[in-house]
């Protein structure tokens, strides 16, 4: 799913399973444009991935130029809001790159509570990769295990 601009998107009691994208957001990519909101509750993200490859299986030109794939399940950029409550991120992958479950660029606000992260994989931030969030609140979450030796980036 792709969204841009100052939209509010809400998911509740939803499942995102086995989705993929070439460069950003295996399940969801949101370019917030400053005021966008991505609100998730009781939502599960399982085995989503960013691959760095085209549909034909060849290296994607953007990946070759930048060396970046971001957000195995969710990628958000800008200065909007990402809220996750009572959700789960399991087995998501950012192949060779940033944020196995969630990757954020720009300066969004992150509020994550009572959410489980397990078996996500990335080179930087198996579960969450955040470059420079304006605010990052984390309450009563579980993070286990780190796939490749405990890498986490926030």
């Amino acid at each position: 799913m792709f969204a841009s601009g100052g939209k509010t998107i809400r998911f509740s009691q939803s499942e995102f399973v086995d989705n993929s994208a070439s460069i950003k957001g295996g399940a969801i990519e949101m370019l917030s444009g400053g005021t966008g909101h991505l609100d998730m509750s009781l939502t599960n993200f399982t085995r989503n991935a960013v691959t760095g490859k085209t549909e034909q299986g060849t290296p994607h030109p953007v990946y070759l130029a930048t060396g970046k794939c971001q957000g195995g399940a969710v990628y958000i950029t800008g200065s909007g809001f990402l809220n996750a409550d009572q959700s789960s991120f399991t087995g998501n992958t950012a192949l060779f790159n940033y944020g196995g479950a969630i990757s954020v660029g720009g300066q969004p606000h992150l509020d994550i509570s009572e959410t489980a992260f397990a078996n996500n994989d990335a080179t930087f931030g198996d579960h969450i990769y955040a470059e420079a969030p304006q605010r990052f609140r984390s309450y009563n979450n579980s993070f286990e295990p780190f796939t490749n030796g405990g890498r986490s980036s926030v």
Side-chain angles (χ1 to χ4, degrees):
M1 177 184 169
F2 175 80
S4 66
K7 299 183 175 46
T8 296
I9 299 171
R10 289 189 175 96
F11 296 103
S12 182
Q13 299 178 340
S14 299
E15 302 274 339
F16 292 85
V17 180
D18 293 328
N19 297 288
S20 66
S22 295
I23 303 298
K24 296 178 182 173
I28 298 172
E29 178 183 1
M30 184 172 185
L31 308 177
S32 71
T35 59
H37 284 77
L38 179 57
D39 295 322
M40 303 171 280
S41 65
L42 302 166
T43 297
N44 301 314
F45 292 86
T46 307
R47 295 183 313 272
N48 299 288
V50 287
T51 64
K53 298 182 178 183
T54 65
E55 290 179 9
Q56 293 76 30
T58 59
H60 193 282
V62 172
Y63 178 70
L64 289 173
T66 66
K68 283 189 174 182
C69 291
Q70 296 178 272
V74 176
Y75 175 77
I76 183 171
T77 190
S79 57
F81 297 83
L82 179 130
N83 302 310
D85 182 49
Q86 299 178 26
S87 295
S88 70
F89 292 84
T90 306
N92 300 288
T93 305
L95 189 63
F96 309 120
N97 263 281
Y98 301 87
I102 298 172
S103 182
V104 297
Q107 295 182 323
H109 297 259
L110 301 175
D111 288 308
I112 302 173
S113 61
E114 299 182 18
T115 293
F117 294 85
N119 300 309
N120 299 295
D121 188 20
T123 304
F124 303 102
D126 278 343
H127 300 310
I128 301 170
Y129 178 82
E131 292 177 4
Q134 284 191 31
R135 178 184 72 216
F136 182 20
R137 285 194 245 183
S138 176
Y139 174 75
N140 202 27
N141 299 301
S142 66
F143 297 92
E144 25 175 304
F146 290 102
T147 303
N148 290 316
R151 297 178 313 258
S152 183
S153 301
V154 176

